[in-house]
Each structure stands twice: as C-alpha cells, then as structure tokens.
Amino acid sequence: MALSLTEWVLAVICASLVGLAKGGLMMVGSLAVPVLALVMPPVQAAALLLPVYIASDMGGLIAYRKAWDRRVLATLLPGAVVGIALGWATAHLVSDRIIGLIIGLIGAVYAVRILARARPGGASAPRLGAGSFWGVIAGYTSFVSHNGAAPYQIYVQPLGLPAIAYAGTTTVFFAIVNIVKLVPYAALGQFSAANLQIAAILCLPALVSVWIGVRIVRVLPTHIFYAFITWALLLVSLKLIWSGLF
C-alpha cells in the first residue's frame, strides 16, 4: 500500500495523537482512527495504526512504570478480554457507524453530566461488577475502532485517581488490550508487509509525542487534567455522533 502526500500528512498527525494519548492525554487518541478514516477505509486505518499504538504503549509503560493502580486493572481486564473476543466474533456483522454512534451517545451523556455538576462528587472505589461491564464495552469498542477510551473513562474517572496514576493506569490497560488485539487482527488478515513498513515510520512521531504528553501531564494540576479529559470526551463524542448520523 502506497500513501499519497495527503494520506502521509494525516497519518503523521494521527500517529502524533496516538503518542499524546499514550503520554497521558487519553481522549485525543480517540480522534486518530476517525481522522485517518477520512482518506481510507476505517478497518484499514485501524490496522495501520495498531502497531503505532503498541510502540507508543512501550514509551508510555516506561514513563508510567511506577504509577498505576492494580485494583482498577483487576476489575477491568477480564471484561476487556471478553469484549475483544466479542469484537472478533462480530467483526463482519457490525457497522462502524453504529458502533461510533453508540459510543458517542454514551460518552456525550456522561461528559455533560460531569460538566453540569456544581461540584465534583466524591471518589468511588473500584468494583468488579462495574469494572467488568465497562471493561467489556471498552474491549469491544477498542477492537472495532481503537475507541475504547470513552467507556474506560466512564468507569475510571469517578474513582478520583491522581492525574499521574490515572494516566499510568490508562497506559497499562490499553497496552495489554492492544497486545491481545494482535491475534484477532492477524487472524482477520489486517496486517501486510506494506502496512507494517508505513507503521514503522509512523512510530517515530508517535514516540516523540509520548514524551510531550508525559511532560504536559506532569505539570498539569489534577483539576485541570480532569477538566481537559472531560471536554475532550465531549468533543470526541459529538464527532462520533455526527459521523454516525450523517
């Protein structure tokens, strides 16, 4: 597969968004596949970016190797594996637009509820039932469109983790999810030598952006960090709703 100049420009932008997300600015990564899907089929865009996600995960894991919450991961990961399996089993049945519309509606309602609060509610504790449910949704939507951030955020944001722990837990969770996704993506024939060569080039801007994202998260006050990811969730959700409807 050869990319045109326009496709290369968009691919580099999307790889940078992936890197920023793995550096801790989670929701911006949700834009990557929808943006690249402007110039290629969504499944092809997702397959092209998956190795970039995994390479960026490695940078994020190094940066946040001591800053993640084991309890949160324990409640999320079993459900996420089930969600990935469901995505694999139904990959040929489900419309990307419908999935995007559902994710967008869930994310928009949640973001509006958070922004409408006069004061933030108290932090809750990780729960296996809620974690399993949102883990399944996050695993499924991550498989079909690399867009598992919204359901993940709905579960994890109310837990009130410090910004660094939130970013680190997010990085570890999606690193594991992306590794698991390699097997079904390969089974579906989504990797080719040409795709992997392009992905290898895109890993450079992605890794640079991981470092930039980490630097931003480390200097942002926690309340500003949460305000940013909530507004980012709302904007991404509105984009998904628009794409799903029109």
Side-chain angles (χ1 to χ4, degrees), residues 24-139:
L25 302 176
M26 183 178 74
M27 291 308 302
V28 299
S30 299
L31 297 169
V33 172
V35 169
L36 196 55
L38 294 173
V39 293
M40 64 180 66
V43 173
Q44 183 179 351
L48 178 62
L49 288 174
L50 181 56
V52 181
Y53 273 92
I54 291 172
S56 301
D57 286 333
M58 299 305 105
L61 289 173
I62 292 171
Y64 293 114
R65 61 190 179 277
K66 296 180 180 180
W68 48 281
D69 193 300
R70 290 174 174 80
R71 298 172 306 158
V72 176
L73 292 178
T75 58
L76 278 168
L77 283 170
V81 174
V82 173
I84 292 169
L86 289 173
W88 183 7
T90 62
H92 61 295
L93 300 174
V94 183
S95 164
D96 291 336
R97 291 181 60 186
I98 297 300
I99 291 294
L101 179 60
I102 294 171
I103 298 169
L105 289 170
I106 294 172
V109 169
Y110 174 76
V112 169
R113 286 182 59 193
I114 293 295
L115 295 171
R117 288 180 182 173
R119 287 184 289 177
S124 59
R127 291 172 295 143
L128 182 59
S132 297
F133 174 80
W134 290 111
V136 170
I137 304 300

